Amino acid sequence: MSRDIRVLIADDQEMVRTGFALILGAQSGIEVVGEASDGAECVELARRLRPDVCLVDVRMPRLDGLEVTRALAGPGVADPLRVVIVTTFDQDDYVYGALRGGASGFLLKDAGPALLVEAVRAAARGDALVSPAVTVRLLERLGEAPATEASGARAAAPPVSGRELDVVRLVARGMTNQEIADDLYISLSTVKTHLVSVQAKLGLRNRVEIAAWAWETGAVTSRGPVG
């Protein structure tokens, strides 16, 4: 039998921590192993407890979620942890910075219990859940970047096959591997193979960095259908 997913919750609001802990603690296979009320405490507890998933608020005292993400999952971290950022509609700058810092997923605080649980499970299995609303707002924001900047990034991009690009675009829209497989009528293992190939070609560490690459290079430019 596989062990429970061990979760650390970090939020400066006690009611939020309590609510998340009650939701997650009621789920089979998930155990809340710690709570932190600020970013510095989160980093200390995470390094000591080594949870499977750290659920981290964006705005916290001492260290914000961006700094926590870089400390626990950023480039150069020898044994990175999986961090899921909790955000709200008006914090896109924080979200984008956390994405570049190594976050494994993004969740809106009002997303609801089901999405909270799925975000934790996705991060634990090495997948990522990006809230569709966050994805759309980031797409809109990045779509406003100067055309010359986007075209330059595309010109410098390593070769990615057409099918790999299809997968990348769906990753950038926040789809899980299973949803991508269903959408493209391919197997789950084929999706994973494409993602491994893309990571190797582009020198990226995870699917969230793949999504960032897609947004930055213009592979995804609107909320419309892929194709």
Side-chain angles (χ1 to χ4, degrees):
M1 180 181 294
S2 60
R3 67 177 179 82
D4 289 352
I5 299 168
R6 301 171 67 253
V7 180
L8 171 65
I9 300 171
D11 195 293
D12 62 338
Q13 298 182 50
E14 184 178 1
M15 288 185 64
V16 173
R17 296 197 308 274
T18 300
F20 285 178
L22 287 172
I23 292 168
L24 295 174
Q27 301 299 312
S28 173
I30 297 179
E31 176 189 5
V32 176
V33 296
E35 297 182 22
S37 60
D38 63 62
E41 184 183 13
C42 175
V43 171
E44 188 277 325
L45 281 176
R47 288 173 173 168
R48 176 161 55 87
L49 299 175
R50 302 297 300 177
D52 299 301
V53 179
C54 301
L55 197 61
V56 178
D57 187 20
V58 172
R59 292 182 178 174
M60 292 186 293
R62 297 211 282 170
L63 295 177
D64 64 27
L66 198 62
E67 296 168 305
V68 169
T69 300
R70 286 198 298 265
L72 298 179
V77 176
D79 191 10
L81 293 169
R82 289 163 181 163
V83 177
V84 174
I85 289 291
V86 181
T87 187
T88 56
F89 284 109
D90 61 348
Q91 295 175 322
D92 295 337
D93 288 341
Y94 286 95
V95 175
Y96 186 67
L99 181 150
R100 300 309 301 159
S104 297
F106 305 102
L107 186 70
L108 298 178
K109 279 191 175 179
D110 60 356
L115 204 58
L116 173 67
V117 173
E118 179 53 29
V120 168
R121 294 194 188 279
R125 63 177 179 259
D127 206 336
L129 189 151
V130 180
S131 169
V134 171
T135 301
V136 167
R137 289 180 64 86
L138 286 170
L139 285 170
E140 290 176 343
R141 178 170 170 267
L142 292 171
E144 296 169 357
T148 53
E149 179 182 332
S151 62
R154 282 194 295 272
V160 175
S161 74
R163 202 50 160 171
E164 288 170 347
L165 192 56
D166 289 339
V167 172
V168 165
R169 286 169 175 163
L170 295 180
V171 167
R173 295 191 187 286
M175 288 190 177
T176 65
N177 285 354
Q178 187 60 62
E179 289 170 337
I180 293 170
D182 294 341
D183 190 87
L184 297 178
Y185 301 101
I186 58 179
S187 69
L188 185 61
S189 63
T190 299
V191 173
K192 293 178 180 178
T193 297
H194 285 319
L195 290 176
V196 169
S197 176
V198 169
Q199 286 178 223
K201 287 180 178 180
L202 303 181
L204 304 174
R205 297 184 305 162
N206 54 49
R207 67 190 292 111
V208 180
E209 290 191 359
I210 290 174
W213 176 85
W215 299 331
E216 290 172 342
T217 60
V220 179
T221 57
S222 72
R223 70 177 71 186
V226 172

